[in-house]
Amino acid sequence: VMGLISNGKINAVFTGVGYDVAEGVKIRGARWENNTKAGKPLHLAASDSIVLGEALSQAMDCTAEGEALSPWKKDHTPERPLKCAKARVQLSGTTDAGQLNALHANIVGAANAGFKELDQRFVAMPLEMAQMLVDTRRLTSYSVRLQKPEAVGAFIQELKSAATQAGLAFDVATWQEHRSGELYRRSMELLGLFRTFVTLVVIIVAGMSVFNTMVKSVSERIREIGTLRSLGFLRWHVVAIFTLEAFFLALVSSALGLILTLVLTFVCNHSGVMYKAG
């Protein structure tokens, strides 16, 4: 939904989303139950409440006190207060029939909408409020959280087949493929390019280091090679000795490197380190 938000003194354009509040908590999971950086999330507030983007909340003369809490922390208390000069605002917009409509709501929280342009306009509200503003019972989309995420491909195919048989035109996709996942896709593409570049640099540097080490190892053992040849070892025998030595060195180092990589990956993934992606 889109329209204007006003507190009687300040007016701003908003782009809002209405969703089933209780079901939204289940979709997000316990860790992300509190999805506001200040104030209350919608599931802890009255049905006429809304949550604004941080930038929009500041534009509407709202200020947050204290430090923002991390969603990785299970304990969300004490609450970070959000104080507004006027928390009661009016939302106005155009209905499906092209008529003007307006309703009142209370600002109860502020959240980060992901990127600046959206944060300056973002409003989250209960689904019933959004439908009342637009005067419709229609829905934009359904979100489904699977108990077995690895079965998403089979689920999509089965749902599409069932919808076709029921005469319903469903567009079923993962959230990454949905238009709302565009920022995620772009970010992952950028990180993928960076990862490929770093991998190539590491491979080149490591490869040259190993090559120089092996060349030095052979050049420092010329007397040993001469002794082996004088004892009757053929040329391919000597080559085989160095090849086997390099093979076992590579095998042991790869095994140790794999173990170390798995340990460090586990530690990093479970350390709860967060950063602002920009």
Side-chain angles (χ1 to χ4, degrees):
V1 293
M2 294 182 292
L4 293 174
I5 180 172
S6 173
N7 62 4
K9 180 181 178 181
I10 304 170
N11 301 315
V13 176
F14 77 86
T15 299
V17 56
Y19 66 94
D20 287 310
V21 175
E23 287 77 0
V25 176
K26 296 178 182 179
I27 288 286
R28 295 196 301 273
R31 175 172 287 178
W32 298 95
E33 181 176 313
N34 187 349
N35 61 342
T36 56
K37 294 188 71 176
K40 296 180 179 180
L42 290 180
H43 67 278
L44 297 180
S47 58
D48 62 344
S49 303
I50 59 174
V51 170
L52 307 184
E54 282 188 286
L56 181 57
S57 69
Q58 294 171 4
M60 297 303 294
D61 205 9
C62 296
T63 56
E65 298 180 353
E67 294 294 327
L69 298 173
S70 169
W72 292 87
K73 297 179 180 179
K74 294 183 180 180
D75 184 12
H76 295 295
T77 56
E79 178 185 313
R80 186 189 185 198
L82 180 71
K83 293 186 177 181
C84 301
K86 192 173 182 181
R88 189 73 171 173
V89 296
Q90 182 185 74
L91 302 176
S92 58
T94 307
T95 67
D96 265 2
Q99 299 176 333
L100 291 177
N101 193 15
L103 51 83
H104 289 88
N106 291 314
I107 302 173
V108 296
N112 191 316
F115 52 98
K116 183 178 179 180
E117 290 75 11
L118 180 59
D119 197 57
Q120 294 173 337
R121 301 186 176 191
F122 180 74
V123 176
M125 64 187 75
L127 177 62
E128 295 78 7
M129 183 184 293
Q131 291 178 326
M132 187 182 301
L133 181 62
V134 187
D135 191 22
T136 184
R137 296 297 299 171
R138 295 193 298 125
L139 299 171
T140 303
S141 64
Y142 287 92
S143 295
V144 179
R145 180 177 180 175
L146 302 183
Q147 293 181 349
K148 297 180 179 180
E150 64 275 7
V152 62
F155 174 81
I156 289 177
Q157 294 301 322
E158 292 177 8
L159 183 56
K160 283 184 176 180
S161 177
T164 302
Q165 294 178 5
L168 301 173
F170 276 3
D171 182 14
V172 188
T174 62
W175 70 267
Q176 295 96 328
E177 297 170 345
H178 190 265
R179 62 178 180 272
S180 61
E182 182 179 359
L183 180 63
Y184 168 81
R185 292 196 301 272
R186 290 183 178 183
S187 299
M188 294 306 295
E189 288 175 359
L190 178 62
L191 291 175
L193 289 173
F194 181 72
R195 179 187 60 187
T196 301
F197 171 74
V198 172
T199 301
L200 288 175
V201 171
V202 170
I203 289 175
I204 292 173
V205 172
M208 292 299 296
S209 299
V210 172
F211 177 76
N212 289 334
T213 301
M214 292 306 299
V215 169
K216 187 176 181 181
S217 175
V218 173
S219 62
E220 290 179 346
R221 294 158 71 179
I222 293 178
R223 291 184 179 181
E224 180 182 335
I225 296 172
T227 302
L228 293 174
R229 290 300 303 273
S230 66
L231 293 175
F233 281 73
L234 300 178
R235 189 182 189 90
W236 70 268
H237 288 150
V238 178
V239 173
I241 290 174
F242 281 98
T243 301
L244 287 173
E245 180 181 327
F247 170 76
F248 284 111
L249 284 173
L251 186 64
V252 173
S253 60
S254 296
L256 293 176
L258 178 61
I259 294 173
L260 183 60
T261 299
L262 293 176
V263 171
L264 289 177
T265 301
F266 180 83
V267 172
C268 290
N269 289 342
H270 291 78
S271 60
V273 176
M274 300 185 72
Y275 67 97
K276 189 172 182 179

